[in-house]
Amino acid sequence: MSSYIDVAHPDRHAPYLDIPDTVVDYLHYLDFVRQSSPRTINGYYLDLRGFFRYMMTVWDLADEQTPPDRIDLTQIDLEQIRKIKKSDIINYLDYARSHDNGPRARARKLSALRGYFGYLCNQVNQLQEDPTANLSTGTPKKSLPKYLTESECLRLLNNIQSDFYERDYCMITLFLNCGMRLAELVTMNLGDFRDNTIRITGKGNKERLVYLNQACLDALGHYLPARSALPNLKDREALFVSKRTGNRLTARRVQQIVERCLQNAGLSGRGYSPHKLRHTAATLLYQNGVDMLALKEILGHENVSTTQIYTHINQRQLQEAVEASPLSRQKYHPPRPQQDDLQQDTGEDDGQGGAQGAEQGGQ
């Protein structure tokens, strides 16, 4: 299995049936003791599973040509894990890089390994030496988030073509105005709305209230009657449902819908995605004067330092700041002539030339 999360119930997961027992114990520790979010645990599960699939080939217990999902990891015991060295971790990170894992992905994988081996060393005392100690992939290069301009947002909203127009228009509108995550949108229920607010369940099952502006209320006002009129509506709690099946939309289906809407608007191939629509909402709010602390609450960031990335992409404010200089209106003027240039222009020469001229004149 590639993921254990049930999209309709993000706090639930299936049994861990394809990983070593010590990894299962660690994920349960993250769940019950550390109270990590289900998506965080899922990410660690996937990264640790990938690492042990790699180690099975290193130990010659699986052929490199064997499909990854055919490699049995359940037989890996603690004695084998104790043989893992720092060089194995380094080689695995190099292997990950050769398989198109960028700096951020490798840093995330190392973080999962650090947590797991730290747990074995410090929490359950099953390991004496941590092979990840003092290992670092370096600081991943921070890139500015991509976002749509205001005119591109209008073009996107004005070019939605769909067999369920009301639903897709509503989803795009909520993305662009509320800055919600993809996982937050697909798990929203009708009961999350009250008056002009929506209760969003974000990372770590933390809830926040986001106010809906008139554009969102109008979009919902058109979508909800169309949703209720579906003849095969099955999931009566889910906000966004499939027209064909009547069940809650999956995250992948929403991604496909957004991709199609971007293509219809002539905005495909630019790296835009549902998450980029979240960046767009945050950027436009900040550019139009929303306070950083207020933006932090709207986006559901735990720390304002995460929100501060949007201070680096407010090009309009940067332009206004530069234009605020008292010298910004200084006009260009040509260079002033040098002294030598003045002499040449007036026919003057140095002392020796003048004497020669006087002597020639006397002759």
Side-chain angles (χ1 to χ4, degrees):
M1 56 186 176
S2 62
S3 175
Y4 69 88
I5 286 183
D6 179 350
V7 67
H9 304 283
D11 57 338
R12 302 180 187 177
H13 58 76
Y16 306 109
L17 301 177
D18 57 350
I19 50 178
D21 289 340
T22 58
V23 179
V24 175
D25 293 340
Y26 171 58
L27 297 181
H28 285 158
Y29 164 77
L30 291 177
D31 193 359
F32 303 125
V33 179
R34 296 291 299 274
Q35 296 186 343
S36 300
S37 73
R39 295 190 178 277
T40 296
I41 299 170
N42 187 50
Y44 276 60
Y45 156 70
L46 295 173
D47 285 333
L48 292 171
R49 187 184 65 175
F51 170 72
F52 280 107
R53 284 175 173 173
Y54 165 80
M55 289 306 301
M56 288 289 284
T57 62
V58 172
W59 291 329
D60 289 329
L61 297 176
D63 189 271
E64 291 186 357
Q65 304 303 319
T66 303
D69 57 355
R70 297 289 184 88
I71 300 177
D72 182 13
L73 306 178
T74 59
Q75 304 303 315
I76 298 176
D77 57 26
L78 191 57
E79 290 305 314
Q80 288 171 297
I81 293 173
R82 285 174 176 153
K83 296 176 182 177
I84 295 174
K85 302 176 181 178
K86 183 173 292 189
S87 59
D88 293 317
I89 307 294
I90 294 173
N91 290 337
Y92 169 66
L93 294 174
D94 184 56
Y95 167 84
R97 181 175 60 177
S98 67
H99 284 72
D100 297 327
N101 285 264
R104 288 184 179 274
R106 298 198 303 275
R108 189 197 66 235
K109 293 178 186 300
L110 179 56
S111 177
L113 292 170
R114 269 208 208 97
Y116 170 65
F117 285 107
Y119 161 81
L120 293 179
C121 289
N122 305 318
Q123 298 298 325
V124 294
N125 298 319
Q126 292 181 338
L127 210 61
Q128 292 185 346
E129 188 173 345
D130 183 351
T132 67
N134 301 319
L135 269 182
S136 173
T137 59
T139 303
K141 180 181 179 182
K142 291 185 179 181
S143 57
L144 297 179
K146 295 181 179 179
Y147 63 95
L148 281 72
T149 64
E150 183 178 349
S151 62
E152 288 174 334
C153 291
L154 295 175
R155 183 163 40 149
L156 175 60
L157 289 168
N158 291 333
N159 288 278
I160 293 175
Q161 300 175 25
S162 167
D163 60 349
F164 201 170
Y165 177 86
E166 296 87 352
R167 179 199 63 193
D168 297 351
Y169 184 92
C170 187
M171 289 195 302
I172 298 294
T173 298
L174 290 179
F175 271 133
L176 291 175
N177 285 274
C178 301
M180 59 190 60
R181 301 177 177 93
L182 173 60
E184 295 169 348
L185 182 129
V186 297
T187 55
M188 286 194 303
N189 295 321
L190 290 178
D192 294 330
F193 292 91
R194 176 172 295 180
D195 298 328
N196 63 336
T197 65
I198 180 174
R199 182 183 61 198
I200 297 177
T201 303
K203 290 184 176 181
N205 289 325
K206 294 179 181 178
E207 295 183 351
R208 67 186 189 275
L209 277 181
V210 173
Y211 284 85
L212 300 172
N213 59 26
Q214 193 58 49
C216 295
L217 294 173
D218 287 347
L220 285 165
H222 285 84
Y223 166 61
L224 292 179
R227 175 190 175 280
S228 299
L230 291 175
N232 61 339
L233 182 60
K234 295 179 181 177
D235 194 333
R236 299 193 173 274
E237 290 186 0
L239 175 59
F240 292 112
V241 296
S242 166
K243 183 178 182 179
R244 182 176 59 84
T245 66
N247 291 318
R248 183 185 299 268
L249 285 180
T250 64
R252 179 57 191 144
R253 182 65 187 126
V254 174
Q255 288 176 325
Q256 293 171 341
I257 291 170
V258 171
E259 289 170 2
R260 184 187 63 214
C261 292
L262 288 166
Q263 184 175 12
N264 292 336
L267 297 170
S268 60
R270 305 186 187 185
Y272 296 145
S273 65
H275 200 66
K276 299 303 183 291
L277 300 187
R278 168 175 161 85
H279 288 319
T280 297
T283 302
L284 295 180
L285 287 171
Y286 181 74
Q287 288 180 345
N288 285 275
V290 174
D291 178 78
M292 184 61 61
L293 293 178
L295 186 58
K296 166 184 172 293
E297 296 301 319
I298 293 172
L299 297 176
H301 288 159
E302 187 169 349
N303 298 306
V304 72
S305 59
T306 308
T307 317
Q308 285 175 339
I309 187 172
Y310 297 105
T311 66
H312 302 301
I313 54 180
N314 193 344
Q315 301 299 324
R316 189 176 67 185
Q317 285 189 356
L318 291 177
Q319 181 181 357
E320 291 175 354
V322 172
E323 291 178 350
S325 168
L327 301 178
S328 64
R329 293 175 177 82
Q330 174 67 36
K331 299 294 185 180
Y332 173 83
H333 62 79
R336 298 181 63 181
Q338 299 290 331
Q339 187 64 31
D340 290 345
D341 295 335
L342 287 172
Q343 291 177 347
Q344 292 176 4
D345 292 341
T346 59
E348 294 180 0
D349 205 340
D350 56 21
Q352 182 177 358
Q356 292 176 345
E359 182 177 353
Q360 290 175 353
Q363 289 177 350

